[in-house]
Amino acid sequence: MSSKQPFNFSHAMYDLCVDISRRLPEFHHVDMDRIAVAFAQARRNVPYGMQAKLTPLRFENGDLQTTRYGRKWTVQRIYQDQQEMLYILTFYLPRFLNHSLEEKLITVVHELYHISPAFDGDIRRLEGHYHVHSHSQKEYDAHMAVLVKQYLKLNPPPALYSFLKCRFSTLQKKHGGVVGLQIPIPKLIPVDESRSA
């Protein structure tokens, strides 16, 4: 039997991320009011492939402009309730929801950890050549699994993450549908064009 309201994935994920950022010191710098939580439809309903991604809306060190191939660029601005966003956190459905609870929580923490400690719209840049996941994505994800265990030991309200116990089809049947925010990939804009617009 389905409820009257479809399940709002963006709202539920936002609430979970707020709780994670409040409970774990590693995420105290995260302000979810400056992060748009969205979903995108996975092109194929298979378990492998991208589960989620964090899109920074600033360049290195939080700069509004970058230079590529001798030309200056800026990025399209995203606003939500008149507040400018610094990041977009996107989950690929139904793929993301068709994994185990632990895998889903690791994915959530994985993406939040990419946020710069300065919370300036840039990503966290790790030491070495592989500045996104360090020298080993396996070790990076192992660290994320430790953070998930720490989070669960802090006894967060189960209602905050109970939706992650469901597969996509289960949520759909239970609520009559799954809805949320969808945001097109922001465009890079040449600075001279952005000034004349």
Side-chain angles (χ1 to χ4, degrees):
M1 183 177 180
S2 63
S3 63
K4 292 181 181 179
Q5 294 294 327
F7 182 80
N8 193 310
F9 176 86
S10 293
H11 286 177
M13 185 59 74
Y14 169 87
D15 290 342
L16 174 60
C17 290
V18 166
D19 195 64
I20 291 171
S21 67
R22 288 176 178 166
R23 291 177 188 272
L24 290 177
E26 290 83 355
F27 303 104
H28 282 177
H29 63 288
V30 172
D31 176 5
M32 288 304 301
D33 289 337
R34 304 294 303 275
I35 302 174
V37 181
F39 80 90
Q41 187 169 357
R43 291 183 180 178
R44 293 190 297 163
N45 188 12
V46 292
Y48 53 86
M50 188 175 287
Q51 308 295 320
K53 71 175 178 182
L54 179 81
T55 304
L57 296 175
R58 296 285 189 276
F59 301 105
E60 191 168 355
N61 299 316
D63 288 346
L64 284 167
Q65 297 180 6
T66 189
T67 302
R68 295 182 184 177
Y69 309 109
R71 192 172 188 183
K72 285 188 176 181
W73 300 82
T74 189
V75 68
Q76 181 183 4
R77 308 288 179 82
I78 303 292
Y79 292 85
Q80 193 170 307
D81 297 328
Q82 299 184 334
Q83 172 87 283
E84 187 175 358
M85 299 291 104
L86 292 178
Y87 301 91
I88 303 171
L89 179 57
T90 307
F91 294 87
Y92 287 84
L93 301 183
R95 183 185 299 148
F96 166 74
L97 284 171
N98 291 342
H99 288 270
S100 70
L101 172 62
E102 182 184 20
E103 288 174 309
K104 292 173 202 176
L105 285 170
I106 288 172
T107 297
V108 173
V109 170
H110 176 126
E111 298 305 327
L112 289 177
Y113 199 78
H114 281 314
I115 295 170
S116 166
F119 199 75
D120 56 5
D122 189 20
I123 60 169
R124 181 189 298 267
R125 296 177 183 271
L126 303 170
E127 291 183 10
H129 181 68
Y130 304 99
H131 64 269
V132 177
H133 295 110
S134 74
H135 66 284
S136 169
Q137 185 163 342
K138 187 176 180 180
E139 286 184 18
Y140 181 98
D141 284 334
H143 180 49
M144 299 305 108
V146 170
L147 291 177
V148 166
K149 288 177 182 176
Q150 289 174 357
Y151 173 66
L152 293 175
K153 283 182 181 178
L154 295 171
N155 297 316
L160 280 175
Y161 59 89
S162 61
F163 74 100
L164 292 181
K165 294 180 179 179
C166 300
R167 292 177 63 84
F168 181 83
S169 59
T170 306
L171 274 182
Q172 207 169 31
K173 289 175 185 175
K174 185 177 178 181
H175 296 274
V178 177
V179 298
L181 188 64
Q182 289 188 287
I183 302 175
I185 297 171
K187 297 176 182 176
L188 283 177
I189 305 168
V191 170
D192 52 354
E193 288 184 20
S194 69
R195 284 177 178 167
S196 61

